[in-house]
Amino acid sequence: QVQLVESGGGLVQAGASLRLSCAASRRTFNTVVMGWFRQAPGKEREFVAAIRWSDDSQLYADSVKGRFTISRDDAKQTVALQMNSLKPDDTAVYYCAAGLRYTTSYRDYAYWGQGTQVTVSS
């Protein structure tokens, strides 16, 4: 099965930056897309960003566009989320996800990491 492990979360002040990383194993299938979602307590999972391996196409939620950047490494085994100008509204558990469809819907992602906490103070 595909294994995803996130890291890089933490507690920062508004305006600061964090870089999240996700290590992926593709033993079961060749992943087409990897994305980042976030979820605050009591709220639904929210799309953040996604990247398609074949052409490096990227999708971003309007709320993070211009502040967050998703990227992949040369080996196609890790994906990062660079988060700049963080806001308190960015506070959530951030999950790395992998799937076969290039969409913004969490329902289309079959594999998920355990999540990493990002807390932004005002």
Side-chain angles (χ1 to χ4, degrees), residues 18-59:
L18 281 174
R19 184 178 178 87
L20 307 183
S21 182
C22 175
S25 174
R26 303 174 185 174
R27 294 178 298 170
T28 303
F29 68 94
N30 187 24
T31 302
V32 173
V33 62
M34 295 186 67
W36 289 93
F37 294 77
R38 63 189 183 186
Q39 186 169 23
K43 297 184 178 180
E44 297 180 350
R45 278 170 287 179
E46 177 187 17
F47 172 77
V48 177
I51 186 167
R52 184 166 60 191
W53 298 128
S54 61
D55 60 358
D56 202 40
S57 294
Q58 300 169 20
L59 297 172

